[in-house]
Amino acid sequence: MRTQTGRWTARAALAVVLAALACGDGAPIIQNLVTEDFEVLCGDLPCDWTLIEGDPAQARYVHTFHSGEHGIELTGSDVTVRGPGGTPQPVQISFGSIQGRLVGVCDSGNQLTVRIGLRQAFDASGPPIADTLEADFFPSDDWNETDDRTLTASSAFRDGGFGTTPFTSGFFRVTGVTIEKSGGGSCTISRLIIDDILPARADGC
Amino acid sequence: MEMTAQRLAALIAVLFVAGSALAQAPGDEFGETPAPAAEPTPQRAEGEPAAEPDADPDPDPDPSVALQLALSLGPTTEEQLDEVMASLGYDRSASVFGGDLTVLLPLARWLWVGARAQLRARGWTRDDGEGAFAFGLALLAEAEARLAVSPSLQFGLYVGGGGGLISMRLNEAVDTPAAPAFVAGGRVVVRIAKGASVFGRLEYDYFLAPDFNDSGFDLSLSGMAFAVGVEVRR
């Protein structure tokens, strides 16, 4: 009898462990789409970055607080650079799930607009979903303050947009990133991260 | 008032005399009580071979130099640089470790002065790439006061000051700013053999390059540190 009780106890404990493993710990699910560190120089700019608006003198590769830590410096107004995207990834995208984190500094009164192209990698049922998401960043002049923003779509996805469906699942990739600076001073960007962050479900499963 | 001054002068005189007597008293470096005067040796008979000289009753005669070698470990102090490193994807740098070599000379039985060469280091690891590393080398002048509480146990208090260089390696580039260095701490010394001791010490290290590269950040190897070491006196 005691042995049978012990078996049931062990089975119950195993079930609890398996349930916990299956449901996760309730933490948000973070899927990284783009991480750009601007570390490698190709010509006058970080590799795979090009100037698409402004004078060449307005964008340059610079070191930041350490000679081994680099970024891209944008000076003056109406200057835009374009950089690479990422590889296709299986993600679930919902309204507000695309988050950007920018590590950098700006002179007071300057603003950076980050746009990403997001495109479904393949979809047999029809033309791929594609859209542009953007957010305005306002970095301070202090290196130890990061700026976190939610990137929102400038137009709806093919299925009616994020607002009407809780999730759009599939293989997506960021096709490219642009950073547009406005304001008269300068900004130095050391790191840009684009994540897809899904909140944990209420039941943890 | 005049009486108070006289009493104070008398007290100082008594302390001076007592201190001089202690300083002149024989005994080992750990303050052992002096051995009683030896009995006068009997006259050696003619033709009798000379007796072996008595073994030195003082196991550690007054040393002229002390060498200390220590390994230290302590938590880092959180600086703005650490926050930036975290935002760039580096893990938290939790501890400063290092070692030092100190040479001390006695000015009195209780007061030693000398110099310390110290190495301190810390690292920032990173999951998706090469980590960063900082290490510093400093030279400090140091003074230590010792109190012997038993033949095998001493307490010491010490302070030091100097400067050095801190080198930070990040993405295969190295920056090396100058940095002042100060130290203050206490030490417990346990004698384990003639002229040899082990010690544990707790100290605060200040070793920091302020505003390095005009970045507004301090590159710090400062913090409380616990160390263990050995001391040899000759």
Side-chain angles (χ1 to χ4, degrees), chain A residues 37 65-68 143 191, chain B residues 88 126 168 171 175 213 217:
Chain A
D37 284 324
F65 64 89
H66 189 283
S67 60
W143 271 108
R191 194 175 210 214
Chain B
L88 292 174
R126 185 173 183 171
M168 182 176 180
N171 291 335
D175 289 344
N213 289 353
F217 302 137

Side-chain angles (χ1 to χ4, degrees), chain A residues 18 54 84:
Chain A
L18 290 175

Side-chain angles (χ1 to χ4, degrees), chain A residues 136-193:
Chain A
D136 294 330
F137 290 78
F138 303 90
S140 72
D141 59 357
D142 193 346
W143 271 108
N144 60 354
E145 292 179 12
T146 57
D147 198 0
D148 296 309
R149 305 282 172 179
T150 298
L151 279 72
T152 53
S154 54
S155 59
F157 272 166
R158 182 195 64 186
D159 63 356
F162 297 127
T164 56
T165 54
F167 295 102
T168 300
S169 299
F171 276 81
F172 283 85
R173 79 179 185 95
V174 174
T175 55
V177 179
T178 63
I179 304 174
E180 177 185 346
K181 179 187 163 300
S182 54
S186 67
C187 292
T188 301
I189 307 151
S190 176
R191 194 175 210 214
L192 177 65
I193 297 173

Side-chain angles (χ1 to χ4, degrees), chain B:
Chain B
M1 180 67 83
E2 192 174 331
M3 281 297 291
T4 307
Q6 285 177 351
R7 286 180 181 174
L8 186 60
L11 179 61
I12 292 172
V14 168
L15 287 176
F16 180 79
V17 170
S20 300
L22 278 175
Q24 291 170 3
D28 71 5
E29 71 203 47
F30 281 73
E32 281 181 352
T33 52
E39 293 289 327
T41 52
Q43 288 287 330
R44 175 165 56 92
E46 200 171 326
E48 185 180 343
E52 288 292 318
D54 289 341
D56 187 354
D58 183 352
D60 289 331
D62 284 347
S64 58
V65 62
L67 298 175
Q68 299 171 349
L69 184 65
L71 297 174
S72 70
L73 181 68
T76 56
T77 56
E78 193 74 17
E79 307 287 343
Q80 285 188 339
L81 176 62
D82 295 284
E83 297 177 32
V84 176
M85 295 295 282
S87 67
L88 292 174
Y90 291 88
D91 296 330
R92 183 169 173 267
S93 173
S95 57
V96 177
F97 55 94
D100 47 76
L101 176 66
T102 305
V103 180
L104 294 172
L105 306 174
L107 283 186
R109 292 189 67 82
W110 61 274
L111 180 62
W112 296 68
V113 296
R116 174 200 286 201
Q118 73 174 25
L119 179 71
R120 298 286 184 268
R122 61 185 294 198
W124 295 263
T125 58
R126 185 173 183 171
D127 291 337
D128 57 348
E130 186 183 1
F133 188 73
F135 74 93
L137 182 63
L139 193 62
L140 298 90
E142 189 171 312
E144 178 168 2
R146 287 283 183 97
L147 172 67
V149 295
S150 80
S152 60
L153 183 65
Q154 281 191 340
F155 292 124
L157 292 174
Y158 56 92
V159 294
L165 298 170
I166 299 179
S167 192
M168 182 176 180
R169 187 177 192 274
L170 193 157
N171 291 335
E172 300 181 355
V174 177
D175 289 344
T176 308
F182 300 97
V183 64
R187 186 194 320 270
V188 178
V189 185
V190 178
R191 184 179 142 195
I192 55 172
K194 181 178 179 179
S197 308
V198 294
F199 62 82
R201 74 176 190 216
L202 185 65
E203 67 182 24
Y204 184 79
D205 281 336
Y206 177 90
F207 191 19
L208 180 149
D211 190 19
F212 83 107
N213 289 353
D214 296 323
S215 62
F217 302 137
D218 299 334
L219 176 54
S220 174
L221 293 171
S222 301
M224 293 296 299
F226 177 72
V228 293
V230 295
E231 179 181 82
V232 177
R233 291 185 171 192
R234 289 289 182 267

Side-chain angles (χ1 to χ4, degrees), chain A residues 43-190:
Chain A
D44 297 325
L45 292 176
C47 286
D48 300 323
W49 284 82
T50 55
L51 181 71
I52 59 173
E53 182 187 11
D55 187 85
Q58 288 184 273
R60 63 190 186 115
Y61 174 85
V62 294
H63 75 75
T64 59
F65 64 89
H66 189 283
S67 60
E69 210 289 315
H70 299 92
I72 187 169
E73 182 188 67
L74 306 177
T75 307
S77 60
D78 300 326
V79 54
T80 305
V81 289
R82 179 183 171 84
T87 55
Q89 298 189 55
V91 294
Q92 283 187 314
I93 296 170
S94 69
F95 182 79
S97 71
I98 305 297
Q99 306 277 322
R101 165 168 287 193
L102 192 145
V103 181
V105 291
C106 278
D107 294 335
S108 177
N110 285 264
Q111 170 185 323
L112 297 168
T113 301
V114 175
R115 295 186 183 88
I116 66 168
L118 194 62
R119 185 181 184 86
Q120 199 170 18
F122 50 82
D123 183 359
S125 62
I129 299 169
D131 205 347
T132 301
L133 292 85
E134 69 176 54
D136 294 330
F137 290 78
F138 303 90
S140 72
D141 59 357
D142 193 346
W143 271 108
N144 60 354
E145 292 179 12
T146 57
D147 198 0
D148 296 309
R149 305 282 172 179
T150 298
L151 279 72
T152 53
S154 54
S155 59
F157 272 166
R158 182 195 64 186
D159 63 356
F162 297 127
T164 56
T165 54
F167 295 102
T168 300
S169 299
F171 276 81
F172 283 85
R173 79 179 185 95
V174 174
T175 55
V177 179
T178 63
I179 304 174
E180 177 185 346
K181 179 187 163 300
S182 54
S186 67
C187 292
T188 301
I189 307 151
S190 176

